[in-house]
């Protein structure tokens, strides 16, 4: 083995092992992006909650739907969940130890809420489901200590 193989990024190191510097950066970037997504999605949830609480005519009324709640109730659900998600997203960006586990749990809870909210705003609910899945993946694949901590 010549010395040029040891100098290449991702090539074999001195013990013949491949380095994974690029992979760690990518996963760390995914965690930061998950924190930003949670922060933004939480703020949007707060705004949707306020709209649902303030004016019942913002969202279309449904006929018979299995998970039908009063729109004011849905507004409160989105407001509280949005606040929790936004605070957790901020915690992920700050590198708080509690935020990763809470982020996974709240992203999953947010996905359930968006599934139940699907008939009211179908397109946004589907986008939120996909974003929630990404957030869970990013937070679960980040190795060890929260890599978003700077």
């Amino acid at each position: 083995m010549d010395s040029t193989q040891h100098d290449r990024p991702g090539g074999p190191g001195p013990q013949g092992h491949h380095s994974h510097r690029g992979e760690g950066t990518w996963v760390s970037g995914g965690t930061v992006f998950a924190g930003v997504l949670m922060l933004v999605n939480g703020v949007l949830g707060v705004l949707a909650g306020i709209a649902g609480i303030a004016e019942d005519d913002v969202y279309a009324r449904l006929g018979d739907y299995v998970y039908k709640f009063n729109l004011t109730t849905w507004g409160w659900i989105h407001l509280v969940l949005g606040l929790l998600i936004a605070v957790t997203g901020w915690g992920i960006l700050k590198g708080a130890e509690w935020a990763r586990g809470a982020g996974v749990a709240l992203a999953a809870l947010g996905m359930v809420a968006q599934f139940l909210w699907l008939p009211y705003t179908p397109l946004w609910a589907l986008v939120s489901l996909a974003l929630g899945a990404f957030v869970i993946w990013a937070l679960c694949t980040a190795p060890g200590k929260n890599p978003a901590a700077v």
Side-chain angles (χ1 to χ4, degrees):
M1 215 183 270
D2 64 7
S3 65
T4 58
Q5 287 181 329
H6 295 288
D7 297 333
R8 286 192 323 238
Q15 288 82 27
H17 299 291
H18 290 279
S19 73
H20 296 285
R21 278 183 273 165
E23 180 182 316
T25 302
W26 192 83
V27 170
S28 173
T31 303
V32 172
F33 188 55
V36 171
L37 284 176
M38 288 188 74
L39 186 61
V40 171
N41 202 18
V43 169
L44 292 174
V46 167
L47 295 175
I50 291 170
I53 293 167
E55 295 288 332
D56 276 350
D57 60 350
V58 172
Y59 297 106
R61 299 211 181 262
L62 300 176
D64 290 330
Y65 176 53
V66 175
Y67 304 111
K68 183 179 175 186
F69 289 121
N70 178 323
L71 285 175
T72 303
T73 303
W74 272 117
W76 281 106
I77 290 169
H78 281 288
L79 179 69
V80 171
L81 194 56
L83 282 171
L84 291 173
I85 289 172
V87 167
T88 303
W90 182 254
I92 289 168
L93 292 175
K94 296 307 262 176
E97 293 293 323
W98 58 267
R100 230 164 98 182
V104 171
L106 285 171
L109 188 59
M111 288 177 71
V112 170
Q114 289 299 329
F115 176 77
L116 298 175
W117 184 247
L118 194 64
Y120 294 95
T121 56
L123 184 59
W124 178 247
L126 290 174
V127 169
S128 291
L129 287 168
L131 293 177
F134 172 78
V135 166
I136 291 170
W137 172 83
L139 295 177
C140 288
T141 58
K145 190 175 187 282
N146 190 346
V150 183

